[in-house]
């Protein structure tokens, strides 16, 4: 047959498939309505496996693996459609529904906030963007921020979560999971690093530079080959404070311009960062789940087994639900054989029942699932 004839035959088959798919989904709706009456789980893995085993036997061996993929996609769309008619139960779904029940509140104008570092830290600048009014308490470590919120000393904590140049702050993700905290807001801050020293000092005088590890990595090209000693300290603002309080005139720090004013330092060089498109995302953490108005972003963590297609099946779920995936990152799980924890950020409507049902299904599944929060990101 000519190519045009082959295509015409395929078109006829496609039309029949579409009609059969429509008929199947009408039955799927009835299944969903029946499951809603009995609070049954949407996914029935044993039935799906039985169907795949049956239908693949009916096709040529050369196309069996493709047949399996087609039916797995079919199951994904069927489950997504069923989720419109059921209310899947889990602890995370219950918390989300409780937040949505009485309508979402506006994000607060004032709050007590915990930050890592000292005055002038980029977390302070982020806090000022997030809250028109705030009472900030500073702590030496990220864990100190978590402990302050956990113990009720501060209502919220503001912490860096990722940088556009050097990637995620994994220590914060680990603490989020360890303390079972939630993200309630985020902001993307344009970070510009400056080389600060005591007033009167010259660039040629500098023998040692202090800063946070992330800031040093973001200014690597400027520092490499300079011949100066680089010393890592807990925070960029801590570095500025150390320079200001030292008797030495041959040291400098990489910090924000605000630190120059706060600590009486001079600017030796501006825009030290290698990439001017240098942004850091900061998150607001809370001990309790809070979802505010305009929440359009969700963050989750899921551990997936080291088996063929595990990640692809998860991505298919998101695609079927229409999620706009904005971040995907993996980290190996400690004390495990090739198992990974995946971080996902995506845009979606948290008020959609299907979305909440999906989170319930993930929590009830075999893998470990952590809901990190639904929130709005401030540009």
């Amino acid at each position: 047959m000519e190519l045009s004839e082959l295509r015409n035959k395929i078109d006829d088959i496609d039309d029949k498939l579409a009609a059969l798919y429509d008929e199947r989904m009408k039955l799927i709706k009835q299944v969903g309505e029946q499951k809603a009456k009995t609070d049954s789980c949407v996914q029935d893995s044993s039935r799906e496996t039985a169907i795949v085993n049956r239908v693949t036997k009916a096709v040529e061996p050369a196309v069996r693996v493709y047949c399996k993929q087609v039916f797995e996609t079919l199951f994904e769309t069927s489950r997504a459609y069923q989720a419109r008619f059921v209310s899947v139960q889990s602890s995370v779904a219950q918390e989300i529904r409780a937040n949505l029940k009485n309508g979402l509140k506006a994000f607060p104008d004032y709050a007590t906030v915990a930050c890592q570092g000292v005055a002038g830290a980029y977390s302070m600048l982020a806090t000022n963007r997030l809250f028109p009014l705030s009472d900030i308490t500073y702590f030496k470590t990220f864990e100190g921020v978590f402990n302050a919120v956990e113990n009720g000393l501060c209502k919220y904590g503001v912490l860096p979560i990722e940088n556009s140049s050097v990637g995620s702050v994994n220590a914060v993700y680990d603490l989020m999971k360890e303390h079972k905290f939630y993200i309630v807001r985020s902001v993307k801050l344009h970070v510009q690093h400056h080389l600060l020293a005591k007033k009167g000092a010259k660039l040629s005088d500098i023998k040692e530079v202090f800063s946070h590890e992330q800031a040093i990595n973001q200014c690597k090209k400027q520092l490499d080959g300079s011949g100066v000693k680089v010393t890592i300290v807990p925070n960029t603002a801590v570095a500025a404070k150390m320079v200001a309080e030292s008797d030495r005139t041959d040291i400098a720090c990489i910090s924000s311009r605000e630190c120059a004013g706060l600590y009486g330092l001079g600017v030796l060089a501006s825009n030290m960062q290698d990439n001017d498109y240098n942004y850091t995302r900061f998150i607001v953490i809370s001990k309790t789940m809070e979802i505010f108005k305009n929440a359009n972003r969700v963050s989750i963590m899921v551990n997936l087994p080291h088996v063929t297609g595990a990640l692809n099946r998860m991505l298919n779920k998101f695609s079927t639900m229409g999620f706009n995936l904005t971040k995907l990152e993996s980290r190996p799980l400690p004390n495990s054989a090739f198992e990974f924890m995946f971080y996902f950020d995506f845009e979606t409507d948290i008020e959609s029942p299907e979305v909440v049902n999906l989170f319930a299904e993930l929590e009830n599944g075999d893998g470990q699932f952590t809901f990190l929060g639904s929130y709005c990101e401030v540009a």
Side-chain angles (χ1 to χ4, degrees):
M1 285 187 288
E2 295 292 331
L3 181 60
S4 59
E5 293 179 273
L6 292 169
R7 285 176 171 169
N8 287 335
K9 284 184 174 293
I10 290 172
D11 288 344
D12 289 340
I13 293 171
D14 287 343
D15 291 341
K16 292 173 183 176
L17 286 173
L20 289 170
Y21 181 77
D22 183 59
E23 186 178 344
R24 189 181 197 279
M25 292 302 270
K26 288 174 181 175
L27 294 171
I28 289 295
K29 178 181 177 181
Q30 294 180 47
V31 170
E33 291 169 342
Q34 289 294 325
K35 286 182 178 180
K37 295 176 182 178
T38 57
D39 287 330
S40 300
C41 182
V42 169
Q43 185 165 4
D44 187 341
S45 298
S46 60
R47 173 166 166 75
E48 291 179 5
T49 301
I51 292 172
V52 167
N53 290 339
R54 187 184 77 243
V55 298
T56 52
K57 289 177 182 177
V59 299
E60 293 292 329
V63 298
R64 281 176 182 169
V65 66
Y66 305 108
C67 181
K68 178 183 177 183
Q69 291 172 354
V70 167
F71 272 83
E72 285 177 346
T73 302
L74 186 64
F75 298 150
E76 290 289 352
T77 60
S78 297
R79 288 196 297 269
Y81 190 46
Q82 276 189 55
R84 296 185 177 188
F85 311 105
V86 302
S87 181
V88 185
Q89 300 303 314
S90 78
S91 59
V92 164
Q94 186 176 351
E95 282 190 84
I96 295 173
R97 290 172 184 135
N99 270 266
L100 300 175
K101 185 176 181 180
N102 297 318
L104 301 181
K105 302 177 295 181
F107 192 74
D109 291 331
Y110 167 82
T112 55
V113 179
C115 291
Q116 187 262 342
V118 295
Y122 287 108
S123 56
M124 181 196 81
L125 305 183
T127 300
N128 291 341
R129 287 276 302 278
L130 289 158
F131 298 94
L133 298 168
S134 61
D135 182 4
I136 302 176
T137 304
Y138 295 97
F139 297 87
K140 291 183 178 179
T141 64
F142 292 151
E143 187 154 21
V145 173
F146 278 86
N147 289 334
V149 178
E150 190 157 40
N151 295 326
L153 181 62
C154 297
K155 173 65 175 173
Y156 300 112
V158 172
L159 293 157
I161 195 72
E162 68 176 329
N163 175 264
S164 58
S165 299
V166 297
S168 296
V169 185
N170 289 320
V172 173
Y173 274 114
D174 292 342
L175 287 165
M176 286 284 294
K177 186 172 181 295
E178 178 184 335
H179 288 266
K180 200 179 180 293
F181 273 44
Y182 297 97
I183 303 171
V184 298
R185 198 78 157 184
S186 69
V187 64
K188 188 168 70 172
L189 188 71
H190 188 202
V191 174
Q192 294 175 298
H193 295 302
H194 306 279
L195 188 67
L196 311 180
K198 286 184 177 293
K199 289 183 177 178
K202 298 178 182 177
L203 190 59
S204 58
D205 298 333
I206 304 305
K207 296 180 180 177
E208 187 173 7
V209 173
F210 299 89
S211 196
H212 185 267
E213 183 178 12
Q214 288 250 344
I216 289 169
N217 288 336
Q218 291 163 27
C219 304
K220 190 172 175 55
K221 289 180 183 177
Q222 295 272 20
L223 294 172
D224 284 353
S226 65
V228 300
K229 180 183 177 183
V230 175
T231 301
I232 295 172
V233 296
N235 187 273
T236 55
V238 169
K241 192 169 185 286
M242 288 172 62
V243 171
E245 294 175 352
S246 174
D247 294 330
R248 294 173 60 183
T249 58
D250 63 345
I251 60 174
C253 63
I254 296 173
S255 304
S256 66
R257 186 176 289 276
E258 284 75 7
C259 282
L262 280 170
Y263 297 107
L265 300 174
V267 179
L268 293 183
S270 296
N271 295 325
M272 289 283 291
Q273 65 277 359
D274 298 337
N275 183 357
D276 195 48
Y277 189 82
N278 187 40
Y279 288 85
T280 297
R281 283 184 65 220
F282 288 82
I283 55 171
V284 182
I285 60 168
S286 171
K287 180 60 182 171
T288 57
M289 184 191 294
E290 294 180 276
I291 303 174
F292 296 99
K293 284 183 178 178
N294 303 318
N296 60 358
R297 182 187 290 258
V298 167
S299 294
I300 63 173
M301 290 191 291
V302 183
N303 77 310
L304 297 175
H306 186 59
V307 296
T308 302
L311 178 59
N312 185 58
R313 285 190 288 274
M314 181 63 68
L315 293 175
N316 280 341
K317 293 178 189 292
F318 298 160
S319 177
T320 302
M321 297 293 293
F323 297 165
N324 178 29
L325 192 65
T326 57
K327 178 178 181 177
L328 166 57
E329 187 171 331
S330 66
R331 286 185 65 200
L333 285 171
N335 304 316
S336 67
F338 301 107
E339 289 196 9
F340 293 84
M341 177 68 75
F342 288 85
Y343 305 123
F344 297 97
D345 286 355
F346 46 86
E347 295 174 348
T348 189
D349 179 10
I350 192 64
E351 297 187 72
S352 166
E354 300 100 299
V355 172
V356 181
N357 281 337
L358 174 62
F359 298 150
E361 292 282 352
L362 291 174
E363 187 177 23
N364 294 336
D366 296 333
Q368 186 179 354
F369 168 76
T370 304
F371 179 81
L372 295 176
S374 178
Y375 53 95
C376 171
E377 179 162 292
V378 180

